[in-house]
Amino acid sequence: MPRRASDPIVIPDELWDRPQMTQALTARDIGTAFHLLRQYAGATQTQIAIACGLTQGRVSEHMKEGGRRVTELDVFERIAEGLQMPDNARMALGLAPRTRPGVPAPKTPEPQTRTGIVRTAPRPTGADPDPSAPATTTDLSRLTRWLTASDTADETIESLARSTTSLASAHTQVPAKSLLTQVIRLHRRTQDLLESSRPRPRHTRELLRIDADLLAHAAVIFGDVNLDHHAEQHAAAALMLAREAGTNEAFAWYAQAKTARWQDRLIEAADFARQGYEASPPTPMKTQLAWYEANAAALLGDQTRARQAVERAEQSAETIHDSPTERSVWSFPTERRALFALAVATRTGDPDGALEAAEMADTAWAAGVPVAPAIWAQIRVGTGVAHLLKGDLEGTAEQLAQLLTLDPGMRLTTVTRYVADLDRRLSHPRYRDTSLAVQLRAQIRDFNAAALTDAPDMERS
């Protein structure tokens, strides 16, 4: 079975006495020390990172040949404390011993559950235990203590999970910048519990799952406010955590596909969406990922792939139904399906199909389905494009007039980029001398200029 981040690092005591380890610590070569931990304790980069209070990326940087060196005293102390180095190893590293002179060290060290480290005493030469012998009472007691010791209560985990779900549900109704602040704050609370507390293994897996969802949500919002670099970083981290937790990867794949699509990396967007589709359980997100592949393929001009992805989306939708009362950033209600169908239709030169898709969304809203402002806005723009494809400039103007009422705080990048596409279409020579087209283009410039005028809260991001 592959190791997980929740598994403790079992460090043989004799490892600290090995000449290679002593030499590495004396030279303050943390990268080599980490390599020895991997070689002799089977520790993964993620396990080392959690134990030492570092990121997995930083551990990787230290372990590269000629990689990043540790120079800060507090980081050396954090690593020594996290790995529960004995005094001889601490002194080789240039740190003060933990045991005061004249005070004997405990004969039987307890397992260190806080950071996932278990120290093992060296076995007497020639005294390997019989593999068929039952575990000793001491062995079982140590294991039980390690499993049950925790600084994190079930109630804390449940509270974080509820708040994560609530933030996802608020996505379509709360301005992006306000929501981003809340998502990042909850992520930091979750990260602090992973790094600073003493969670039980099942708590660790749940915290990793929660943080994966939060980072994927943050990635979606960063894309909405035109911060694609941050979106890309958060989506990649979300995928890593989801895999470590052994949980659903679909949200992270969706965030990566969305980011790639808005950076015009259309092949990657389609491929990310397809990978997410294959990895997703039968949920509304699976259908949405198929539509995302279709949209990216249509933008690329790959009609065959777009049609095949649409077929997958329709087959998925036949067996998966999103509850009309459960709305979140991850749900895929009728009006969102209509938006994707509209986008694919306009990109494949089917304005009648686009208008049919828009009517499907408007019918749902007329029936009382809650309106998500950003989706409503994109439907209005897409309908305007469909009218333009049919040569109906008056119809386009009617849609744009409705769009201008959208609150600036809800004018996400996904909306303004749709509007910019409409502006590009209106710049065609056939409309150059048309007064209505000139007026619409001026309105579009004013609309986009007023979008998201306040800077998002980037504190510690």
Side-chain angles (χ1 to χ4, degrees), residues 86-286:
D87 284 347
N88 63 317
R90 291 178 59 87
M91 289 187 289
L93 193 56
L95 302 175
R98 297 188 64 190
T99 306
R100 290 177 295 151
V103 179
K107 294 182 180 180
T108 307
E110 293 293 327
Q112 304 297 321
T113 58
R114 176 182 175 274
T115 54
I117 304 294
V118 175
R119 297 265 301 280
T120 62
R123 295 175 182 171
T125 304
D128 287 341
D130 180 353
S132 64
T136 65
T137 302
T138 301
D139 289 338
L140 296 177
S141 176
R142 291 176 62 209
L143 178 61
T144 301
R145 286 198 302 273
W146 176 75
L147 283 172
T148 57
S150 176
D151 291 337
T152 308
D154 287 336
E155 292 77 10
T156 301
I157 306 291
E158 291 169 3
S159 176
L160 285 171
R162 283 194 301 270
S163 296
T164 300
T165 301
S166 295
L167 288 172
S169 298
H171 181 86
T172 61
Q173 303 299 323
V174 177
K177 293 173 183 179
S178 300
L179 193 62
L180 178 60
T181 302
Q182 301 300 316
V183 172
I184 293 298
R185 182 177 292 133
L186 197 62
H187 150 67
R188 288 173 185 145
R189 282 181 55 196
T190 306
Q191 186 178 25
D192 286 345
L193 284 173
L194 279 166
E195 294 180 348
S196 306
S197 68
R198 188 173 54 177
R200 296 172 66 170
R202 63 183 176 85
H203 288 164
T204 298
R205 288 191 295 273
E206 183 65 1
L207 286 169
L208 288 169
R209 182 198 67 77
I210 290 170
D211 210 23
D213 289 356
L214 288 167
L215 289 174
H217 191 182
V220 171
I221 304 174
F222 275 122
D224 285 343
V225 297
N226 203 22
L227 292 170
D228 290 334
H229 176 65
H230 290 289
E232 194 171 0
Q233 289 182 321
H234 283 69
L239 181 59
M240 182 181 73
L241 290 180
R243 286 178 168 173
E244 196 66 39
T247 191
N248 183 9
E249 301 173 10
F251 299 165
W253 283 115
Y254 168 75
Q256 294 206 79
K258 180 177 183 292
T259 303
R261 182 260 178 270
W262 288 114
Q263 291 178 322
D264 291 324
R265 294 158 35 217
L266 299 176
I267 283 288
E268 290 179 77
D271 288 344
F272 286 149
R274 181 61 183 276
Q275 286 176 273
Y277 173 87
E278 299 295 343
S280 177
T283 64
M285 179 55 72
K286 189 179 187 73

